[in-house]
Amino acid sequence: MTRTAPPLRETNETHVSTKQQATQTNARLPGTDEHGGWPPGVEAAASQRTQTADRQHTAETAPLSVPPVDQRLPRTRRIRKRAEYLRLQRVGRRRAGEHFVVITEPRRSGGSRLGITASRKVGGAVVRNRIKRLVREFFRRHQHAIAPAQDVLVIARPNAATVTYADVIREIGTALRLHGTQ
């Protein structure tokens, strides 16, 4: 029981204790009649699964045990310098299709390389990047069928904005004279 001091003389104030009562609980924590969060049984079901040492469930880690194979087109297979693009446009053999212009030139050493050009006339950045991804995927899959090794420059025409992967296979495969791609 807390003892209060007698009132001070000539004032109407009384002494108020600053100590909290021992029975008072933390007001920020939910009480027994408030919503406790998860329904009962959810935590028990989650903890019953087996876990690996790094706290990942074994069913989730099993497919990740095999390292993924890198399937990107390496830089050695890309035409990267402006001077190479200009030289290829000047001296290369040109084949025009409905959606693309394909310019090729034989290489003396190394494998085939790819360069892609898509101007703003084709569409916005999203459309241009989509076209470039489709052409790169075609080249990545068929680069070993290009014989002899060549530098390949693909220029997207304005109507290439609606091209599908099947159109890319048909048109560029025909321009590069690849058999089995039509």
Side-chain angles (χ1 to χ4, degrees):
M1 186 153 130
T2 307
R3 215 170 151 190
T4 59
L8 298 175
R9 293 184 191 168
E10 300 179 10
T11 64
N12 289 335
E13 297 178 6
T14 59
H15 176 69
V16 179
S17 174
T18 57
K19 290 184 180 179
Q20 292 183 351
Q21 295 178 0
T23 59
Q24 185 179 3
T25 59
N26 190 344
R28 293 183 184 200
L29 297 177
T32 56
D33 58 341
E34 294 181 27
H35 180 63
W38 296 99
V42 171
E43 292 149 0
S47 64
Q48 290 174 356
R49 292 183 280 183
T50 58
Q51 293 182 350
T52 59
D54 57 352
R55 303 199 43 90
Q56 293 180 347
H57 299 288
T58 54
E60 296 169 357
T61 58
L64 298 177
S65 61
V66 178
V69 179
D70 187 15
Q71 295 184 352
R72 292 180 291 185
L73 189 63
R75 287 186 175 190
T76 58
R77 297 291 186 156
R78 299 181 195 172
I79 300 172
R80 301 183 61 214
K81 297 183 180 175
R82 184 175 190 272
E84 292 175 330
Y85 276 89
L86 295 176
R87 182 188 53 75
L88 195 53
Q89 286 181 349
R90 193 176 61 249
V91 299
R93 182 173 175 174
R94 185 176 297 255
R95 294 179 190 95
E98 181 183 349
H99 301 102
F100 301 102
V101 175
V102 180
I103 303 172
T104 58
E105 181 187 28
R107 285 183 51 98
R108 290 180 179 82
S109 63
S112 296
R113 297 188 309 164
L114 174 69
I116 309 168
T117 302
S119 71
R120 282 188 227 149
K121 292 178 182 177
V122 175
V126 174
V127 173
R128 294 192 313 267
N129 289 334
R130 180 183 158 274
I131 293 167
K132 290 177 186 180
R133 280 194 307 272
L134 292 173
V135 172
R136 271 195 304 268
E137 179 65 12
F138 169 82
F139 185 79
R140 186 185 66 79
R141 288 185 177 185
H142 298 93
Q143 63 185 329
H144 302 295
I146 301 172
Q150 299 179 29
D151 279 344
V152 179
L153 174 59
V154 178
I155 302 171
R157 290 186 156 182
N159 62 350
T162 59
V163 74
T164 64
Y165 185 64
D167 295 333
V168 171
I169 291 173
R170 179 182 43 79
E171 191 166 330
I172 297 178
T174 301
L176 293 176
R177 297 186 178 149
L178 300 179
H179 299 290
T181 59
Q182 286 86 9

